[in-house]
Amino acid sequence: MDGKVLVTGGAGFLGSHAALALLEAGHEVVIYDNLCNSSPAVPGRVAALAGRPPDVIEGDIRDAGRLRRLFAEHRIGAVMHFAGLKSVADGQARPLEYYDNNVAGSAVLLAEMERAGVRTLVFSSSATVYGEGGGGSAAQESLPLAPTSVYGRTKRIVEDMIRDQAASGAGLRHALLRYFNPVGAHPSGRLGESPRGRPNNLLPFVAQVAAGLRPKLQVFGGDYPTPDGTGRRDYLHVQDLIDGHLAALRAVAAGEASLVANLGTGRPHSVLEVVRAFEKASGRPVPFEIVDRRPGDLAEYWADPTHARELFGWKASRDLATMCVDAWRWQTHVMREDA
Ligand code: NAD
Ligand code: WQD
């Protein structure tokens, strides 16, 4: 594939891991990020790990002029689009911000891509597009999309925009990747997830309890119809997720016109299984109490990852223990560095 890879949201949790993997695979990379949910120190860590720097531009995907200059200054061959707001709860509280950022921002990006003749796109979608339909059985891409959250609806709308743009004759080759629960960190311990304030997600919260930063974990519901009564999810190592992105990029850059695929292991784990795995990985206790269910949570959902294996030969390889070991190394590294 000719040209650089533009990684929108490339200072974030997933985008920074993607930028590193792309550099390591020999690509030239441009990170574009407004830093609304990430640290300006992250691209420097990516450069140090890769041994060479990406180009880094601070900007907003809603800024058409800044994107136009970027496409004029850099020969971009493909875009990996991670930029976006991602909290389900926050989306319910700030719907217009989510529609403006995730939907309007993606529309501006697509328009500037078309203007610049950039026709290869990998989009970070989400399992939340399935809504209730993705619960209780292995979610397949053919499931009707019925997102039940503002956030999930923004992801479905962007998927539709991309498909409609491709169908208009713009020649937009694209991969829509639906992530389940990405967790863990780069094995170096120098890249990872840095939630601001109280983590919404399970893994970073458990890591902070193990590190003694929080007294205990609240387990949201112990009465679900699951083997141990707690919620089950398809946790996926961030490195497996990024391997999937590079495989999908290769497929689309090689001429695959359009693909949609789940990125998950197909093997759900319960909250209590995660707690036990993290205690083993860290050697630290993770005290918890079981409280009421969190509104909007499904009992369980997980991926059917068959499509990704068939379309671009991808299969997750890292297990829950590895996810916890790498997450713990990142937690203790961040502790050291930020102490
Ligand atoms: P993140 O918040 O760590 O990274 C997103 C990055 O995008 C941040 O660096 C943020 O500063 C940047 N950004 C946000 N709005 C922007 C804008 N308007 N212009 C430019 N930059 C902007 O989140 P993440 O976990 O890395 O997720 C990346 C993508 O993957 C998101 O689109 C998210 O919806 C999606 N996703 C994440 C998960 C997950 O559990 N982490 C699961 C499914 C899908
Ligand atoms: C996992 C499990 C909770 C925290 C979210 C977003 C989804 C996607 C991935 C973007 C559930 C339980 C959690 C806690 C708990 N992101 N839990 N105590 O809700 O499956 O998915 O992140 O696309 O959109 O919805 O992930 O990590 O919040 O919860 O018991 O303090 O852990 O009930 O069973 P979720 P999560």
Side-chain angles (χ1 to χ4, degrees):
M1 181 203 72
D2 283 341
K4 300 179 181 180
V5 182
L6 168 62
V7 182
T8 73
F13 170 35
L14 305 182
S16 59
H17 286 76
L20 173 57
L22 287 163
L23 286 165
E24 289 173 333
H27 294 283
E28 297 302 313
V29 171
V30 179
I31 286 177
Y32 185 75
D33 200 306
N34 69 359
L35 303 178
C36 72
N37 196 39
S38 49
S39 158
V42 170
R45 292 177 179 155
V46 170
L49 287 165
R52 62 193 180 96
D55 293 297
V56 184
I57 300 170
E58 183 177 346
D60 195 304
I61 54 173
R62 293 168 288 191
D63 184 345
R66 188 64 193 85
L67 282 174
R68 200 164 301 171
R69 285 205 311 280
L70 183 157
F71 284 115
E73 290 161 359
H74 299 271
R75 193 162 63 84
I76 302 295
V79 175
M80 272 197 189
H81 179 29
F82 293 95
L85 302 177
K86 64 162 180 177
S87 162
V88 170
D90 190 33
Q92 300 305 110
R94 302 194 296 150
L96 297 182
E97 178 64 23
Y98 271 64
Y99 281 109
D100 183 50
N101 197 80
N102 293 0
V103 177
S106 298
V108 170
L109 174 67
L110 290 171
E112 292 307 318
M113 285 176 65
E114 181 178 28
R115 188 187 181 90
V118 178
R119 295 188 177 83
T120 302
L121 171 68
V122 176
F123 173 59
S124 64
S125 188
S126 165
T128 49
V129 297
Y130 293 114
E132 307 280 338
S137 61
Q140 296 179 346
E141 292 82 357
S142 56
L143 269 177
L145 302 188
T148 53
S149 64
V150 167
Y151 165 74
R153 282 192 281 277
T154 69
K155 289 297 186 180
R156 181 193 56 191
I157 293 169
V158 177
E159 286 196 9
D160 289 345
M161 277 197 318
I162 291 166
R163 283 196 191 91
D164 290 342
Q165 174 69 348
S168 73
L172 180 64
R173 296 186 304 276
H174 59 276
L176 309 178
L177 302 180
R178 293 173 183 164
Y179 314 158
F180 281 69
N181 292 63
V183 296
H186 187 265
S188 67
R190 293 189 53 71
L191 289 181
E193 189 175 9
S194 300
R196 292 194 173 161
R198 178 189 171 89
N200 290 314
N201 294 132
L202 180 66
L203 253 295
F205 199 101
V206 165
Q208 290 186 9
V209 173
L213 297 176
R214 297 187 186 276
K216 65 184 163 187
L217 168 73
Q218 289 186 317
V219 176
F220 297 144
D223 59 350
Y224 282 110
T226 59
D228 66 14
T230 64
R232 296 208 296 171
R233 295 291 185 274
D234 189 330
Y235 299 100
L236 176 68
H237 197 294
V238 60
Q239 292 295 94
D240 276 328
L241 182 130
I242 297 308
D243 290 346
H245 279 69
L246 269 72
L249 176 63
R250 285 192 294 272
V252 169
E256 191 78 40
S258 70
L259 64 90
V260 56
N262 292 328
L263 294 185
T265 66
R267 163 81 169 86
H269 288 285
S270 74
V271 177
L272 294 184
E273 284 178 293
V274 170
V275 167
R276 280 193 290 275
F278 209 93
E279 289 182 323
K280 190 170 178 189
S282 64
R284 302 283 186 85
V286 177
F288 66 86
E289 64 169 335
I290 294 183
V291 298
D292 291 341
R293 298 180 179 186
R294 180 171 63 178
D297 272 0
L298 297 178
E300 53 188 1
Y301 67 78
W302 66 96
D304 175 343
T306 307
H307 226 198
R309 190 175 67 248
E310 290 172 346
L311 286 174
F312 47 88
W314 176 84
K315 187 175 187 305
S317 64
R318 296 161 178 94
D319 62 7
L320 182 62
T322 305
M323 297 175 209
C324 293
V325 164
D326 290 342
W328 178 241
R329 186 182 303 109
W330 162 248
Q331 180 64 42
T332 47
H333 177 91
V334 168
M335 288 265 286
R336 274 201 311 275
E337 190 150 280
D338 293 3

